[in-house]
Amino acid sequence: MHRSRLRGSAPELSEYRLYRQGDDPRQLDWKLLARSDRAYIRLAEDRSLLATWFVVDASASMAFPEPSHGKWSVACSLTLGLASVALGAGDPVSLLVGHPSPPPRNAPRSRRGTLNEMAATLRAVVPGGSTALAPLVADARPGARVVIVSDFLGDEEGTRTAAAALVAAHCDVHAIHVIAREELEPAARSIRAVDPEDPGVVRPFDDTLRDRYTARFAAWRDGIAVAWRHAGATFTPVTTADDVALAVRRVIGASSGATAGAI
Amino acid sequence: MTLLAPGWLIVAAVASLAVAALHLIAWRTPRREVLPTARFVPDDPARRAARTVLLSDVGLLALRVGILLLAGLALARPGFDTARRGTGLVVAIDATVDSAAVSGVLAMLPRADRTAYVVFDTMSTVASDSGAVLVGLSRSGAPVSSLSVGLLAATREALRLEQDVESVGLVLVSPLSVASLDGATTSVRALWPDSIHVVRVARRAGTVPGPVSLPDDGDDPIVAGARLASANRLLSGPITLVRDTAVVPDARALVVWPRISGDAASRVDGVLAGTTAAVGHFLRLPDAGGPGRVIARWIDGTPAAREVQQNDGCTRRVYFDVPDEGDFTLTPAFQRLLAVLLQPCTGDAIAHQLAADSVVRALASSPLGDSPVVAAADTPGANRLAAVLMGLAIAALLVEWIARRRGGATLLAEQSA
């Protein structure tokens, strides 16, 4: 359960207000009227359910590094961790996987076994190919919560545009940027770096290029962080070296500052 | 193992070192690795100087070195003939040499594990030791020898010794007279590929130019003149002079000089023989007109003496005499004329000339120049081994070519990917 945007007549008392013409007489507090000889109505916060859509990037870049598929493993752990929190609050969850052969999607649900189903679905996915996330993000219902777990090395701009549209439609959008430690600090040897999603990109790489690579990559990360936040989403970078539980808390903490409400 | 041409192995080793050095400095293409953030790598040129020197394509290097060494070993013609050991020596001794000189030469010969002696004149005999050599020399009476016969026999013995020893040397002991050379000597010499150690020694006594045999007639002016010429060393035999044509001995070189009776009238005439001319009182005899070479003429050109060559000598007939009175035969001009008329037969004269030093040097030097002796003869086993090694080298070359093509194709695929 999470706080609703509207105030209603729920049993839990929130505050008193003088009766005004037009208020529902059934909300009059008769005991207070008897004590104070003044008419007050009882106000309380309404409760509602917020569907949470998890859009998980399963492109080839998420399979890095080989053979552990560290980024995909962290993405799955974060997704399941956040889904567990959402289900614990009673919110239904749904899983959308960005993959050339995506698993069937379901409507958000909160029944027992939903988390296990999500885990089984994610275990069956082998990252590969290159699939745009923007269409998946756009499928989310207005007013829902959307959690995007990706390395944003694909259609980052398109995805961000779709997310901005959701924010405008009163959705909570949370972007989690998954980064591999090996991407931050490549190995100290001469290689020909190949982009798994764009085989035409083959760059020779050695120690002489390390500083320039690091600077360019950091500038890009900073840039997309600013852009996502400017689009109205929360943006949380998580590396494969981070503790997943702490990362989940960071994400929740980042989202708790949002005006849409807290989990 | 013996190598017929070890130089090829050295060449192969040097070439292998060069190939290894090239592999150390060869350009290498870095390995491809997946990096999703490759787009952030600056697109700089790919070439970098390696900080460490590493061998590239170790397998290919080993293959190439193996090819070179196999080819070098095949060209070096290895042999595993373990039966041959030691050195051999063949000593060819001319039977016309002085025995005393031969003894000294045999004592100074280099020591060898196996020694064979060949004594030759116009035939050859193989002697077992130096003692048998001296016996053979003592039995030979031939005045001249044949180097062709001697070299042929010595070469045959040397080839026989080569079956048992690693190297064979050849020594020739001979006076090396011109008569011992013939038209086949050069060809026979070429049968032995190495140089020959030539030891020139003196002729045996008796084979040198012999005495002039003259009649015992003290009143004969021709005989007196001949004796004077012989005493003055103008004559060199062997030569036999007969004045009484009734008795013609069997001699190698015979001069038949008929004696004319003293009542015959003489006249002043001149006789020319070669570059010698003698003018004085002569008793002229008519020229019989027989065969033979004219060796002296009268001033009017008619023959005054003829020489007929025979198998082992010659016969000269003189068609004049001199009066008994006077000392014409003692004059220097007639002495020179006697030296021509009483010289040895043409073959004998040449026979006793010694061969020139240039001929001796040519005989001694190797027909292949100064190249070292080919110690081990070609054997079928060595040929087969060389063929097998070269076949392996060619097969390895084919494998290397295939490996190189595959490596190039892989690299091309990676570059176009």
Side-chain angles (χ1 to χ4, degrees), chain A residues 61 64 153 183 189-196 199 202-206 208-209 212-213 216-217 220, chain B residues 29-48 51 411 414-415 417:
Chain A
S61 60
F64 185 82
L153 292 175
E183 289 172 337
R189 58 178 177 268
S190 297
I191 61 170
R192 284 186 295 160
V194 181
D195 188 335
V202 180
R203 304 279 170 84
F205 181 79
D206 60 9
T208 61
L209 299 174
R212 291 165 61 189
Y213 161 82
R216 292 174 69 170
F217 187 34
W220 174 78
Chain B
T29 303
R31 190 178 56 182
R32 290 169 64 101
E33 284 190 14
V34 169
L35 183 64
T37 53
R39 74 190 69 174
F40 302 110
V41 176
D43 195 8
D44 280 4
R47 296 193 171 190
R48 295 278 186 272
R51 291 180 181 176
L411 182 59
E414 288 179 348
Q415 288 177 345

Side-chain angles (χ1 to χ4, degrees), chain A residues 216-230:
Chain A
R216 292 174 69 170
F217 187 34
W220 174 78
R221 295 198 310 273
D222 294 340
I224 63 171
V226 169
W228 277 87
R229 289 182 183 124
H230 186 72

Side-chain angles (χ1 to χ4, degrees), chain A residues 100-177:
Chain A
S101 301
R105 61 177 70 178
N106 297 314
R109 62 183 72 174
S110 59
R111 66 175 187 227
R112 289 179 63 181
T114 299
L115 193 62
N116 290 336
E117 291 174 5
M118 285 181 64
T121 301
L122 291 172
R123 271 198 304 270
V125 173
V126 177
S130 178
T131 304
L133 294 181
L136 299 178
V137 173
D139 281 348
R141 303 280 173 76
R145 179 191 296 121
V146 178
V147 180
I148 304 170
V149 185
S150 174
D151 57 5
F152 298 113
L153 292 175
D155 61 334
E156 181 271 331
E157 190 172 342
T159 307
R160 176 159 37 88
T161 302
L166 288 178
V167 170
H170 303 290
C171 286
D172 289 344
V173 178
H174 305 276
I176 302 174
H177 185 197

Side-chain angles (χ1 to χ4, degrees), chain A residues 9-201:
Chain A
S9 55
E12 292 185 11
L13 177 64
S14 171
E15 63 180 325
Y16 286 100
R17 180 171 62 81
L18 282 174
Y19 177 83
R20 293 196 294 262
Q21 186 176 3
D23 289 338
D24 187 356
R26 289 175 294 179
Q27 291 182 320
L28 279 172
D29 190 333
W30 296 105
K31 291 181 179 178
L32 185 58
L33 178 61
R35 287 198 303 269
S36 65
D37 211 14
R38 289 193 179 189
Y40 290 93
I41 61 169
R42 192 202 320 260
L43 295 178
E45 291 181 352
D46 262 340
R47 296 186 181 274
S48 65
L49 299 175
L50 184 61
T52 304
W53 299 78
F54 289 93
V55 179
V56 185
D57 183 3
S59 61
S61 60
M62 292 295 290
F64 185 82
E66 292 280 358
S68 62
H69 296 185
K71 287 165 64 176
W72 173 248
S73 175
V74 167
C76 293
S77 300
L78 283 171
T79 301
L80 293 174
L82 292 170
S84 173
V85 173
L87 288 170
D91 291 330
V93 298
S94 176
L95 179 64
L96 302 175
V97 178
H99 191 271
S101 301
R105 61 177 70 178
N106 297 314
R109 62 183 72 174
S110 59
R111 66 175 187 227
R112 289 179 63 181
T114 299
L115 193 62
N116 290 336
E117 291 174 5
M118 285 181 64
T121 301
L122 291 172
R123 271 198 304 270
V125 173
V126 177
S130 178
T131 304
L133 294 181
L136 299 178
V137 173
D139 281 348
R141 303 280 173 76
R145 179 191 296 121
V146 178
V147 180
I148 304 170
V149 185
S150 174
D151 57 5
F152 298 113
L153 292 175
D155 61 334
E156 181 271 331
E157 190 172 342
T159 307
R160 176 159 37 88
T161 302
L166 288 178
V167 170
H170 303 290
C171 286
D172 289 344
V173 178
H174 305 276
I176 302 174
H177 185 197
V178 181
I179 310 165
R181 184 183 54 189
E182 290 80 357
E183 289 172 337
L184 293 173
E185 300 168 2
R189 58 178 177 268
S190 297
I191 61 170
R192 284 186 295 160
V194 181
D195 188 335
E197 296 183 23
D198 186 1
V201 178

